[in-house]
């Protein structure tokens, strides 16, 4: 249904369309006529949604800050899961992972060759030399915040430590490319270029995603791409950037028994860092880190 110039804007601002998003929509139409993939209105957040997603992200960041104090040698991943679960509830949130498509825990703990979706286990004790990714998602008042961090436990091989550092650099480089009227392909391009330059590979099929109103939404955020390609980035979009970088081959496999754990095909280490971001008028705001 076409919106009239004097009708309330679709974004929920209660302003007239002509004074709110009319010029914005006309700009998107011009990009589309030039062949760009432009986001639909349901991908662009309203002011109310942005505030809700921002608050969920703040709580998710607090949960990661809390559990970080306990990520050390001798701790089990089950203990880390309990800390995440209990503190999320204490802050008034809900652990989004728990029960999601049958996932049995409140957080993902991915160690060494596990790329992602590692399930906390009372028998898996962190030991010197391990690297671990803790991936946490929080629901607060119906909105979602999602982020993950890497940790090096004790005496980690310098080559593995470099993998962790380069992966963080990939995330930060991708973040710099996340600006209005650039493209998702710009993000994937710099991530893949930086990882490859250091002799690492990028996991292709497990990517970032729209996040905020639901756990996983459009757009699909590849960490391999070409400049000027894929979806146009515009103010109001919220999504994750979460490069998964492997020391060896990019290929992986899924554990047939638990149906979740993704590991590298060659058994070599993998690392991941993740932010949820908002595209603003001037760049990107990190909503959860």
């Amino acid at each position: 249904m076409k919106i009239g110039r004097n009708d309330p804007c679709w974004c929920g601002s209660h302003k007239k369309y002509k004074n709110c998003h009319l010029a914005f929509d006309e700009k998107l139409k011009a990009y589309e006529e030039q062949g760009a993939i432009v986001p639909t209105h349901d991908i662009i957040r309203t002011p109310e949604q942005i505030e809700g997603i921002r608050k969920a992200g703040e709580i998710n960041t607090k949960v990661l800050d809390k559990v970080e104090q306990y990520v050390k040698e001798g701790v089990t991943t089950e203990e880390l899961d309990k800390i995440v679960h209990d503190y999320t509830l204490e802050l008034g949130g809900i652990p989004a992972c728990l029960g999601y498509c049958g996932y049995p825990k409140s957080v993902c703990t991915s160690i060494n060759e596990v790329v992602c979706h590692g399930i906390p286990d009372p028998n898996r004790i962190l030991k010197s030399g391990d690297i671990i990714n803790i991936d946490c998602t929080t629901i607060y008042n119906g909105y979602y915040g999602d982020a993950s961090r890497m940790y090096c436990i004790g005496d980690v091989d310098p080559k593995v430590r470099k993998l962790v550092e380069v992966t963080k650099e990939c995330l930060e480089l991708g973040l710099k490319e996340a600006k209005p009227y650039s493209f998702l392909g710009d993000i994937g391009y710099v991530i893949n270029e930086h990882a490859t330059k250091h002799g690492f590979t990028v996991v292709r099929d497990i990517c970032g995603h729209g996040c905020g109103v639901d756990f996983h939404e459009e757009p699909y955020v590849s960490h391999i791409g070409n400049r000027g390609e894929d979806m146009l980035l515009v103010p109001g979009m919220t999504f994750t950037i979460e490069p998964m970088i492997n020391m060896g081959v990019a290929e992986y496999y899924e554990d047939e028994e638990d149906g979740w754990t993704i590991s590298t095909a060659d058994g070599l280490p993998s690392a991941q860092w993740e932010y949820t971001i908002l595209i603003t008028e001037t760049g990107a705001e990190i909503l959860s880190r």
Side-chain angles (χ1 to χ4, degrees), residues 44-146:
I44 301 164
R45 308 308 183 194
T46 69
E48 180 182 353
Q49 289 172 336
I50 289 170
E51 285 308 306
I53 298 165
R54 183 179 285 118
K55 184 60 179 178
E58 289 172 358
I59 290 178
N60 195 66
T61 298
K62 288 180 180 179
V63 173
L64 282 169
D65 288 344
K66 178 75 169 183
V67 74
E68 182 169 307
Q69 305 169 45
Y70 302 90
V71 184
K72 55 188 176 183
E73 191 173 354
V75 173
T76 70
T77 53
E78 176 83 2
E79 290 174 298
L80 299 178
D81 179 76
K82 187 176 188 322
I83 292 164
V84 167
H85 179 87
D86 291 350
Y87 195 56
T88 301
L89 296 183
E90 182 180 328
L91 294 177
I94 299 169
C97 290
L98 185 61
Y100 178 77
C101 295
Y103 187 77
K105 298 293 182 177
S106 295
V107 71
C108 295
T109 51
S110 303
I111 300 173
N112 299 335
E113 76 281 358
V114 177
V115 178
C116 60
H117 304 163
I119 301 174
D121 184 340
N123 297 313
R124 184 51 169 101
I125 302 170
L126 294 182
K127 61 182 185 299
S128 181
D130 284 339
I131 59 171
I132 180 172
N133 175 268
I134 297 181
D135 191 348
C136 181
T137 307
T138 301
I139 307 169
Y140 185 76
N141 287 341
Y143 295 103
Y144 290 73
D146 187 7

Side-chain angles (χ1 to χ4, degrees), residues 62-264:
K62 288 180 180 179
V63 173
L64 282 169
D65 288 344
K66 178 75 169 183
V67 74
E68 182 169 307
Q69 305 169 45
Y70 302 90
V71 184
K72 55 188 176 183
E73 191 173 354
V75 173
T76 70
T77 53
E78 176 83 2
E79 290 174 298
L80 299 178
D81 179 76
K82 187 176 188 322
I83 292 164
V84 167
H85 179 87
D86 291 350
Y87 195 56
T88 301
L89 296 183
E90 182 180 328
L91 294 177
I94 299 169
C97 290
L98 185 61
Y100 178 77
C101 295
Y103 187 77
K105 298 293 182 177
S106 295
V107 71
C108 295
T109 51
S110 303
I111 300 173
N112 299 335
E113 76 281 358
V114 177
V115 178
C116 60
H117 304 163
I119 301 174
D121 184 340
N123 297 313
R124 184 51 169 101
I125 302 170
L126 294 182
K127 61 182 185 299
S128 181
D130 284 339
I131 59 171
I132 180 172
N133 175 268
I134 297 181
D135 191 348
C136 181
T137 307
T138 301
I139 307 169
Y140 185 76
N141 287 341
Y143 295 103
Y144 290 73
D146 187 7
S148 79
R149 303 177 186 176
M150 290 296 303
Y151 300 96
C152 295
I153 308 301
D155 187 16
V156 172
D157 185 303
K159 293 179 181 178
V160 178
R161 191 176 289 274
K162 180 183 177 183
L163 171 68
V164 173
E165 293 169 353
V166 168
T167 303
K168 180 66 180 299
E169 291 166 4
C170 285
L171 174 59
E172 296 295 343
L173 288 168
L175 179 66
K176 288 181 181 179
E177 297 294 328
K179 49 195 173 186
Y181 307 105
S182 61
F183 293 84
L184 279 174
D186 301 344
I187 296 173
Y189 176 81
V190 296
I191 288 173
N192 186 50
E193 180 184 52
H194 191 67
T196 302
K197 180 176 71 175
H198 288 279
F200 302 132
T201 60
V202 180
V203 175
R204 290 178 174 269
D205 304 322
I206 311 174
C207 301
H209 52 89
C211 183
V213 176
D214 205 345
F215 198 158
H216 296 94
E217 308 173 88
E218 294 294 329
Y220 178 85
V221 183
S222 176
H223 302 114
I224 294 177
N226 296 310
R227 287 196 176 277
E229 294 185 1
D230 211 327
M231 187 176 286
L232 182 73
L233 301 179
V234 302
M237 295 174 69
T238 58
F239 56 86
T240 70
I241 306 174
E242 47 183 303
M244 301 173 200
I245 310 298
N246 293 351
M247 178 171 283
V249 300
E251 288 73 27
Y252 60 86
Y253 68 93
E254 181 180 292
D255 188 293
E256 293 183 359
E257 290 188 15
D258 67 38
W260 283 100
T261 306
I262 303 290
S263 301
T264 57

Side-chain angles (χ1 to χ4, degrees), residues 15-56:
K15 297 178 182 178
K16 290 182 178 181
Y17 181 48
K18 66 182 180 182
N19 297 325
C20 195
H21 271 90
L22 175 58
F24 173 85
D25 284 347
E26 289 176 341
K27 187 171 185 176
L28 293 196
K29 185 177 180 181
Y31 271 99
E32 189 172 30
E33 289 173 348
Q34 295 169 18
I37 302 169
V38 301
T40 54
H41 286 169
D42 61 333
I43 293 177
I44 301 164
R45 308 308 183 194
T46 69
E48 180 182 353
Q49 289 172 336
I50 289 170
E51 285 308 306
I53 298 165
R54 183 179 285 118
K55 184 60 179 178

